[in-house]
């Protein structure tokens, strides 16, 4: 069955440092991968989408890489701020048999300390 | 522009009851998906509708049903509620069934 793992349940870093979150998957060939931010009790907020034929995508302080050979995506937040503290979810979609649903990891809780 | 809206925000029910959750997609979006998120887990796919037709169904029992209306809004119905149905129910809309999904704020369902 499809499996998505986000490298850690929690990550603590100092303000100004780069946060790197990892998403690994098995038994899946997604057409695209998305990253979402979720604050407690709220719905996920879309951040970035990267397609299977793309290696890297950037948006302001955010960068996502996608390695379909390693079956891994890395999500970077540079110059991190306390306001970046939240749970970050990796979601895969569009692969064969997926019916275009999103399959989510459990998320990584990022805490940026001032 | 308004984002995805869901109602109600919170809901408390008892075991065996029935519940209806509602979702209005972003204007122009024709696809609506429903997800269940229990505490500490990522969202789990329940249904996807596109142009009023069911396009996908997750691994949920027949107690869960949904539909999409001509104006693309959607309802999720859950019958014979169980304690384990307590969760945050999320609705997401997208322009079609292959693009970025934008989530609403969710409905927090508590089953006592």
């Amino acid at each position: 069955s499809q499996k998505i793992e986000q490298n850690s349940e929690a990550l603590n870093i100092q303000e100004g440092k780069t946060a790197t979150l990892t998403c690994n998957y098995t038994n899946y060939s997604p057409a695209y991968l998305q990253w979402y931010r979720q604050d407690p009790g709220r719905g996920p907020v879309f951040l970035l989408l990267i397609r299977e034929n793309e290696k890297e995508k950037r948006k302001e302080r955010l960068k996502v890489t996608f390695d379909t050979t390693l079956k891994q995506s890395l999500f970077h937040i540079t110059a991190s701020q306390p306001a970046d503290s939240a749970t970050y979810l990796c979601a895969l979609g569009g692969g064969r048999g997926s019916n275009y649903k999103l399959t989510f990891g459990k998320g990584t809780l990022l805490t940026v300390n001032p | 522009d308004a984002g995805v809206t869901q109602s109600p925000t919170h809901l408390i029910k008892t075991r065996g009851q029935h519940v209806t959750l509602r979702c209005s997609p972003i204007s122009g979006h024709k696809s609506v998906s429903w997800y269940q998120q229990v505490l500490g887990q990522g969202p789990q796919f329940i249904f996807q509708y596109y142009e009023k037709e069911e396009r996908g169904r997750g691994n949920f029992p027949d107690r869960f049903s949904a539909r999409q209306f001509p104006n693309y809004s959607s309802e999720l119905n859950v019958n014979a509620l169980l304690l384990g149905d307590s969760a945050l129910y999320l609705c997401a809309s997208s322009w079609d069934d292959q693009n970025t999904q934008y989530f609403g704020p969710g409905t927090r369902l508590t089953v006592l």
Side-chain angles (χ1 to χ4, degrees):
Chain A
S1 62
Q2 300 166 356
K3 190 174 182 182
I4 300 172
E5 287 187 352
Q6 296 193 237
N7 61 324
S8 59
E9 291 188 0
L11 181 65
N12 288 272
I13 64 169
Q14 284 300 119
E15 182 176 5
K17 301 292 186 182
T18 296
T20 299
L21 285 65
T22 304
C23 176
N24 294 289
Y25 59 93
T26 57
N27 299 323
Y28 200 164
S29 296
Y32 54 84
L33 185 149
Q34 302 186 47
W35 284 89
Y36 288 84
R37 168 186 172 139
Q38 188 173 29
D39 292 289
R42 310 291 294 274
V45 174
F46 170 73
L47 297 174
L48 281 168
L49 179 151
I50 186 165
R51 299 192 183 274
E52 60 180 335
N53 60 347
E54 299 175 313
K55 295 293 185 185
E56 180 178 303
K57 191 165 266 191
R58 295 174 183 260
K59 179 182 175 183
E60 298 174 349
R61 295 184 296 112
L62 309 180
K63 185 178 85 171
V64 174
T65 63
F66 193 12
D67 188 325
T68 55
T69 301
L70 292 178
K71 295 186 182 292
Q72 181 182 80
S73 174
L74 299 179
F75 177 76
H76 307 273
I77 306 175
T78 59
S80 61
Q81 305 166 359
D84 295 327
S85 298
T87 294
Y88 290 86
L89 296 163
C90 162
L92 279 66
R96 185 177 304 171
S98 72
N99 292 321
Y100 307 110
K101 69 178 182 182
L102 289 178
T103 302
F104 283 85
K106 289 185 178 181
T108 296
L109 176 60
L110 174 66
T111 302
V112 181
N113 301 303
Chain B
D1 286 341
V4 178
T5 59
Q6 293 186 243
S7 62
T9 306
H10 296 88
L11 204 52
I12 298 175
K13 293 284 189 178
T14 57
R15 282 177 295 176
Q17 284 190 310
H18 162 270
V19 68
T20 298
L21 310 182
R22 295 178 175 83
C23 171
S24 291
I26 292 170
S27 178
H29 284 192
K30 300 179 180 180
S31 179
V32 169
S33 299
W34 287 95
Y35 292 81
Q36 180 197 66
Q37 187 176 25
V38 299
L39 202 61
Q41 302 292 317
Q44 294 289 313
F45 173 75
I46 309 176
F47 286 108
Q48 185 186 64
Y49 278 80
Y50 176 63
E51 288 280 17
K52 302 179 288 295
E53 291 188 0
E54 182 182 306
R55 299 300 291 268
R57 182 187 181 111
N59 188 24
F60 281 81
D62 291 343
R63 300 184 296 107
F64 288 76
S65 63
R67 55 180 175 168
Q68 186 177 33
F69 299 100
N71 66 353
Y72 301 111
S73 67
S74 178
E75 282 183 355
L76 174 70
N77 295 282
V78 187
N79 293 322
L81 285 167
L82 303 173
L83 295 179
D85 295 331
S86 296
L88 181 67
Y89 287 84
L90 295 162
C91 173
S93 78
S94 57
W95 190 78
D96 61 22
D97 57 0
Q98 299 185 47
N99 277 285
T100 300
Q101 295 184 23
Y102 295 91
F103 284 82
T107 293
R108 171 68 63 186
L109 172 65
T110 301
V111 183
L112 303 176

